[in-house]
Coordinates of all heavy atoms in Angstrom, one line a residue:
I3 N -17.4 -3.6 -2.3 CA -18.6 -4.1 -3.0 C -19.5 -2.9 -3.4 O -20.0 -2.7 -4.5 CB -19.4 -5.1 -2.2 CG1 -18.6 -6.4 -2.0 CG2 -20.8 -5.4 -2.8 CD1 -19.1 -7.3 -1.0
E4 N -19.7 -2.0 -2.4 CA -20.5 -0.8 -2.6 C -19.9 0.1 -3.7 O -20.6 0.9 -4.3 CB -20.6 0.0 -1.3 CG -21.4 -0.7 -0.3 CD -21.3 0.0 1.1 OE1 -20.5 0.9 1.3 OE2 -22.0 -0.5 2.1
N5 N -18.6 0.0 -3.9 CA -17.9 0.8 -5.0 C -17.9 0.0 -6.3 O -17.1 0.4 -7.2 CB -16.5 1.2 -4.5 CG -16.6 2.4 -3.7 OD1 -16.6 3.5 -4.2 ND2 -16.5 2.3 -2.4
G6 N -18.7 -1.1 -6.4 CA -18.8 -1.7 -7.7 C -18.0 -2.9 -8.0 O -18.0 -3.5 -9.1
M7 N -17.2 -3.4 -7.0 CA -16.4 -4.6 -7.1 C -17.3 -5.8 -7.0 O -18.2 -5.9 -6.2 CB -15.3 -4.6 -6.1 CG -14.3 -3.5 -6.2 SD -13.3 -3.5 -7.7 CE -14.1 -2.3 -8.7
S8 N -16.9 -6.9 -7.8 CA -17.7 -8.1 -7.8 C -17.6 -8.8 -6.4 O -16.5 -9.1 -5.9 CB -17.2 -9.1 -8.9 OG -17.7 -10.4 -8.7
E9 N -18.8 -9.1 -5.8 CA -18.8 -9.7 -4.5 C -18.2 -11.1 -4.5 O -17.5 -11.5 -3.5 CB -20.3 -9.8 -4.0 CG -20.4 -10.3 -2.6 CD -21.8 -10.2 -2.0 OE1 -22.7 -9.7 -2.7 OE2 -22.0 -10.6 -0.9
S10 N -18.3 -11.8 -5.6 CA -17.8 -13.2 -5.7 C -16.3 -13.2 -5.7 O -15.7 -14.2 -5.4 CB -18.4 -13.9 -6.9 OG -18.0 -13.2 -8.1
D11 N -15.7 -12.1 -6.1 CA -14.2 -12.0 -6.2 C -13.5 -11.3 -5.1 O -12.3 -11.2 -5.0 CB -13.8 -11.3 -7.5 CG -14.1 -12.1 -8.8 OD1 -14.2 -13.3 -8.7 OD2 -14.4 -11.5 -9.8
I12 N -14.3 -10.9 -4.1 CA -13.8 -10.0 -3.0 C -12.7 -10.8 -2.2 O -11.6 -10.3 -2.1 CB -14.9 -9.5 -2.1 CG1 -15.7 -8.5 -2.8 CG2 -14.3 -9.0 -0.8 CD1 -15.0 -7.2 -3.1
D13 N -13.0 -12.0 -1.7 CA -12.1 -12.7 -0.9 C -10.8 -13.1 -1.5 O -9.7 -13.0 -0.9 CB -12.8 -14.0 -0.3 CG -13.7 -13.7 0.9 OD1 -13.5 -12.6 1.4 OD2 -14.4 -14.5 1.3
T14 N -10.9 -13.6 -2.8 CA -9.7 -14.2 -3.4 C -9.0 -13.4 -4.4 O -7.9 -13.7 -4.8 CB -10.1 -15.5 -4.1 OG1 -11.1 -15.2 -5.1 CG2 -10.7 -16.5 -3.1
L15 N -9.6 -12.3 -4.9 CA -9.0 -11.5 -5.9 C -8.9 -10.0 -5.6 O -7.8 -9.4 -5.5 CB -9.7 -11.7 -7.2 CG -9.1 -11.2 -8.5 CD1 -7.8 -11.9 -8.7 CD2 -10.0 -11.3 -9.7
I16 N -10.1 -9.4 -5.4 CA -10.1 -7.9 -5.2 C -9.5 -7.5 -3.9 O -8.5 -6.6 -3.9 CB -11.6 -7.4 -5.2 CG1 -12.3 -7.8 -6.5 CG2 -11.6 -5.9 -5.0 CD1 -11.6 -7.3 -7.8
Y17 N -9.9 -8.0 -2.8 CA -9.4 -7.5 -1.5 C -7.9 -7.8 -1.3 O -7.1 -6.9 -1.0 CB -10.2 -8.1 -0.3 CG -9.6 -7.8 1.0 CD1 -9.6 -6.5 1.5 CD2 -9.0 -8.8 1.8 CE1 -9.0 -6.3 2.8 CE2 -8.4 -8.6 3.0 CZ -8.4 -7.3 3.5 OH -7.8 -7.0 4.7
P18 N -7.4 -9.0 -1.5 CA -5.9 -9.2 -1.4 C -5.1 -8.4 -2.3 O -4.0 -7.9 -2.0 CB -5.7 -10.7 -1.6 CG -7.0 -11.2 -2.3 CD -8.1 -10.3 -1.9
N19 N -5.6 -8.2 -3.6 CA -4.8 -7.3 -4.5 C -4.9 -5.9 -4.1 O -3.9 -5.1 -4.3 CB -5.3 -7.5 -5.9 CG -4.8 -8.7 -6.6 OD1 -3.6 -8.8 -6.9 ND2 -5.6 -9.7 -6.8
A20 N -6.0 -5.4 -3.5 CA -6.0 -4.1 -3.0 C -5.0 -3.9 -1.8 O -4.3 -2.8 -1.8 CB -7.5 -3.8 -2.5
I21 N -4.9 -4.8 -0.9 CA -3.9 -4.8 0.1 C -2.5 -4.7 -0.4 O -1.7 -3.9 0.0 CB -4.1 -6.0 1.1 CG1 -5.4 -5.9 1.9 CG2 -2.9 -6.1 2.0 CD1 -5.3 -4.7 3.0
Q22 N -2.3 -5.6 -1.4 CA -0.9 -5.6 -2.0 C -0.7 -4.3 -2.8 O 0.5 -3.8 -2.8 CB -0.8 -6.8 -3.0 CG 0.6 -7.0 -3.6 CD 1.6 -7.2 -2.5 OE1 1.3 -8.0 -1.5 NE2 2.7 -6.6 -2.6
M23 N -1.7 -3.7 -3.4 CA -1.5 -2.4 -4.1 C -1.0 -1.3 -3.1 O -0.1 -0.6 -3.4 CB -2.8 -2.0 -4.8 CG -2.7 -0.8 -5.7 SD -4.3 -0.3 -6.4 CE -4.7 -1.8 -7.4
I24 N -1.7 -1.3 -2.0 CA -1.3 -0.3 -1.0 C 0.1 -0.5 -0.5 O 0.9 0.4 -0.3 CB -2.3 -0.3 0.2 CG1 -3.7 0.0 -0.2 CG2 -1.9 0.6 1.3 CD1 -3.9 1.3 -0.8
A25 N 0.4 -1.8 -0.2 CA 1.8 -2.1 0.2 C 2.8 -1.7 -0.8 O 3.9 -1.2 -0.4 CB 1.9 -3.6 0.5
D26 N 2.6 -2.0 -2.1 CA 3.5 -1.6 -3.1 C 3.7 -0.1 -3.2 O 4.8 0.4 -3.3 CB 3.0 -2.2 -4.5 CG 3.1 -3.7 -4.6 OD1 3.9 -4.3 -3.8 OD2 2.4 -4.3 -5.4
I27 N 2.6 0.6 -3.2 CA 2.7 2.1 -3.3 C 3.5 2.6 -2.1 O 4.3 3.6 -2.3 CB 1.3 2.7 -3.4 CG1 0.6 2.2 -4.7 CG2 1.3 4.2 -3.3 CD1 -0.9 2.7 -4.7
S28 N 3.3 2.1 -0.9 CA 3.9 2.6 0.3 C 5.4 2.5 0.3 O 6.1 3.3 1.0 CB 3.3 1.9 1.5 OG 3.8 0.6 1.6
T29 N 6.0 1.6 -0.6 CA 7.4 1.5 -0.6 C 8.1 2.3 -1.7 O 9.3 2.2 -1.8 CB 7.8 0.0 -0.8 OG1 7.2 -0.5 -2.0 CG2 7.2 -0.9 0.3
M30 N 7.3 3.0 -2.5 CA 7.9 3.8 -3.6 C 8.7 5.0 -3.0 O 8.2 5.7 -2.1 CB 6.9 4.2 -4.5 CG 6.2 3.1 -5.3 SD 5.0 3.7 -6.5 CE 4.5 2.1 -7.3
H31 N 9.9 5.2 -3.5 CA 10.7 6.3 -3.0 C 10.2 7.7 -3.4 O 10.3 8.6 -2.6 CB 12.2 6.1 -3.5 CG 12.8 4.8 -3.0 ND1 13.1 4.6 -1.6 CD2 13.2 3.7 -3.6 CE1 13.7 3.4 -1.5 NE2 13.7 2.9 -2.7
D32 N 9.7 7.8 -4.6 CA 9.2 9.1 -5.0 C 7.9 9.4 -4.4 O 6.9 8.7 -4.7 CB 9.1 9.1 -6.6 CG 8.7 10.4 -7.2 OD1 8.4 11.3 -6.4 OD2 8.8 10.6 -8.4
P33 N 7.8 10.5 -3.6 CA 6.5 10.8 -3.0 C 5.4 11.0 -3.9 O 4.2 10.7 -3.6 CB 6.8 12.1 -2.2 CG 8.3 12.1 -2.0 CD 8.9 11.4 -3.2
T34 N 5.6 11.5 -5.1 CA 4.6 11.7 -6.1 C 4.0 10.4 -6.6 O 2.8 10.4 -7.1 CB 5.1 12.5 -7.3 OG1 6.1 11.8 -8.0 CG2 5.7 13.9 -6.9
M35 N 4.7 9.3 -6.5 CA 4.3 8.0 -6.9 C 3.4 7.3 -5.8 O 2.8 6.3 -6.0 CB 5.4 7.1 -7.3 CG 6.3 7.6 -8.4 SD 5.3 7.7 -9.9 CE 5.0 6.0 -10.3
R36 N 3.4 8.0 -4.6 CA 2.6 7.4 -3.5 C 1.3 8.1 -3.4 O 0.6 8.0 -2.3 CB 3.4 7.5 -2.2 CG 4.7 6.7 -2.2 CD 5.2 6.5 -0.8 NE 5.5 7.7 -0.1 CZ 6.6 8.4 0.0 NH1 7.6 7.9 -0.8 NH2 6.7 9.5 0.7
I37 N 0.8 8.7 -4.4 CA -0.5 9.4 -4.4 C -1.4 8.7 -5.3 O -1.1 8.3 -6.4 CB -0.3 10.9 -4.9 CG1 0.6 11.6 -3.9 CG2 -1.7 11.5 -5.0 CD1 0.9 13.1 -4.4
I38 N -2.6 8.4 -4.8 CA -3.6 7.7 -5.6 C -5.0 8.3 -5.4 O -5.2 8.9 -4.3 CB -3.6 6.2 -5.2 CG1 -4.4 5.3 -6.3 CG2 -4.1 5.9 -3.8 CD1 -4.2 3.9 -6.1
T39 N -5.9 8.1 -6.3 CA -7.3 8.5 -6.1 C -8.2 7.2 -6.1 O -7.7 6.2 -6.6 CB -7.8 9.4 -7.3 OG1 -7.7 8.7 -8.5 CG2 -6.9 10.6 -7.4
K40 N -9.4 7.4 -5.6 CA -10.3 6.2 -5.6 C -10.6 5.7 -7.0 O -10.6 4.5 -7.3 CB -11.6 6.7 -5.0 CG -12.7 5.6 -5.0 CD -13.8 5.8 -4.1 CE -14.7 7.0 -4.5 NZ -15.9 7.1 -3.6
K41 N -10.7 6.6 -8.0 CA -11.0 6.2 -9.4 C -9.9 5.4 -9.9 O -10.1 4.3 -10.6 CB -11.2 7.5 -10.2 CG -11.6 7.2 -11.7 CD -11.8 8.4 -12.5 CE -12.1 8.2 -13.9 NZ -12.2 9.4 -14.7
D42 N -8.6 5.8 -9.7 CA -7.5 5.1 -10.2 C -7.4 3.7 -9.6 O -7.1 2.7 -10.3 CB -6.2 5.9 -10.0 CG -6.0 7.1 -10.8 OD1 -6.8 7.1 -11.9 OD2 -5.2 8.0 -10.5
M43 N -7.6 3.6 -8.3 CA -7.4 2.3 -7.6 C -8.5 1.3 -8.1 O -8.2 0.2 -8.4 CB -7.5 2.5 -6.1 CG -7.2 1.2 -5.3 SD -7.6 1.3 -3.6 CE -9.4 1.1 -3.7
L44 N -9.8 1.8 -8.2 CA -10.8 0.9 -8.6 C -10.6 0.4 -10.0 O -10.9 -0.7 -10.4 CB -12.2 1.6 -8.5 CG -12.6 1.9 -7.0 CD1 -13.9 2.7 -7.0 CD2 -12.8 0.6 -6.2
S45 N -10.1 1.3 -10.9 CA -9.8 1.0 -12.3 C -8.8 -0.1 -12.4 O -8.9 -1.1 -13.1 CB -9.4 2.2 -13.0 OG -9.0 1.9 -14.4
K46 N -7.7 0.0 -11.6 CA -6.6 -1.0 -11.6 C -7.1 -2.3 -11.0 O -6.7 -3.4 -11.6 CB -5.4 -0.5 -10.7 CG -4.7 0.7 -11.4 CD -3.6 1.2 -10.5 CE -2.9 2.4 -11.1 NZ -1.8 3.0 -10.3

């Protein structure tokens, strides 16, 4: 929320998708694909 995400969407949209995003990235074989910045994550 402090980083600009909609508070009304946190429980059902933003937070679960953020968890899934981290899970998906962690399984990528190419180490360069497992690198992310705050700006990129918030944009996605």
